[in-house]
Amino acid sequence: MTPVVRVHGSAYPWGAKNVDTDVIIPAHWLKTTTRVGLGRGAFETLRAEPGNLFDDPRWAGAPVLIAGDNFGCGSSREHAAWALADLGIRAVIAPSFSDIFSGNAVKNGIVPVVLPQAAIDRLIAVAQDQPVTVDLETMTVTTPFQDRFVFDLDPFRRRCLMEGLDEIGLTLARDTAISNYEIGAGEARPWLIPESGYAGVAVEGDRRT
């Protein structure tokens, strides 16, 4: 996963409330087994309408999405986070998120920023023609007009985002400790490690059960 420390650029000034995962990525896109290309299906229903926000050249490739309450509600599909990431979104700012979506977002390198509605309203106004900056080092959202909004994020999730760690990365970071444990366990309990075959599975010629 690519580390995320600072997200800067234009922001989709959307503000819609109760956006569920079916709006983010319709169900018929869930047949795919790859994350690549899901950005084409992101907000498909909305993008079918002429003049929609997501195809407006003023916000083409925007890395920030400004939304309303309860963003990412509905099903637990991780495809929603995959689609946003493939669309180029690296931070979503909203008053609240679905818990499952928030977790999926972090696992896919997307920063879920929670700010009060007053801050959302201000950012939507600024984003009409100015960039927005989300900074995980200072835990702030700022604008060229000296707006400065402080947000909170679970320290573990913040670390994962800043260091680019998903579950696999977290496990690999403990590779030395895991290897040392396995070596020590094998020396202390050699009967757990068969000479051939898999642990716990009897092999031909092996009297152990």
Side-chain angles (χ1 to χ4, degrees), residues 23 52 113:
V23 172
N52 73 85
V113 179

Side-chain angles (χ1 to χ4, degrees), residues 11-195:
Y12 295 106
W14 196 20
K17 298 180 179 181
N18 300 312
V19 175
D20 63 35
T21 51
D22 195 53
V23 172
I24 299 173
I25 184 75
H28 65 85
W29 284 88
L30 307 191
K31 300 175 184 178
T32 180
T33 58
T34 177
R35 307 180 188 191
V36 179
L38 281 178
R40 292 184 288 109
F43 306 110
E44 183 179 63
T45 302
L46 298 172
R47 294 167 77 180
E49 301 174 1
N52 73 85
L53 178 72
F54 295 99
D55 289 324
D56 190 311
R58 288 179 294 173
W59 296 289
V64 180
L65 172 64
I66 305 171
D69 276 316
N70 200 26
F71 186 84
C73 57
S75 74
S76 61
R77 67 186 69 163
E78 191 173 5
H79 294 69
W82 295 354
L84 293 178
D86 196 58
L87 189 63
I89 292 174
R90 292 294 174 264
V92 180
I93 307 173
S96 65
F97 294 88
S98 158
D99 289 340
I100 294 177
F101 172 82
S102 183
N104 286 339
V106 171
K107 293 175 184 178
N108 288 278
I110 299 172
V111 187
V113 179
V114 176
L115 289 177
Q117 188 61 51
I120 297 297
D121 293 340
R122 171 58 181 166
L123 289 172
I124 287 176
V126 171
Q128 298 298 323
D129 55 11
Q130 295 295 326
V132 169
T133 301
V134 175
D135 194 319
L136 281 174
E137 288 189 335
T138 60
M139 295 296 286
T140 60
V141 177
T142 56
T143 76
F145 300 108
Q146 306 307 310
D147 297 294
R148 182 183 177 87
F149 304 107
V150 178
F151 65 94
D152 293 320
L153 188 63
D154 176 81
F156 176 71
R157 289 185 169 184
R158 179 174 180 247
R159 179 199 164 204
C160 288
L161 286 165
M162 294 183 72
E163 296 182 19
L165 298 173
D166 54 14
E167 284 89 344
I168 295 175
L170 287 166
T171 301
L172 290 175
R174 301 284 296 172
D175 178 63
T176 300
I178 293 171
S179 296
N180 289 339
Y181 173 81
E182 293 293 335
I183 292 171
E187 292 174 347
R189 296 178 289 278
W191 60 88
L192 294 178
I193 304 177
E195 296 177 2

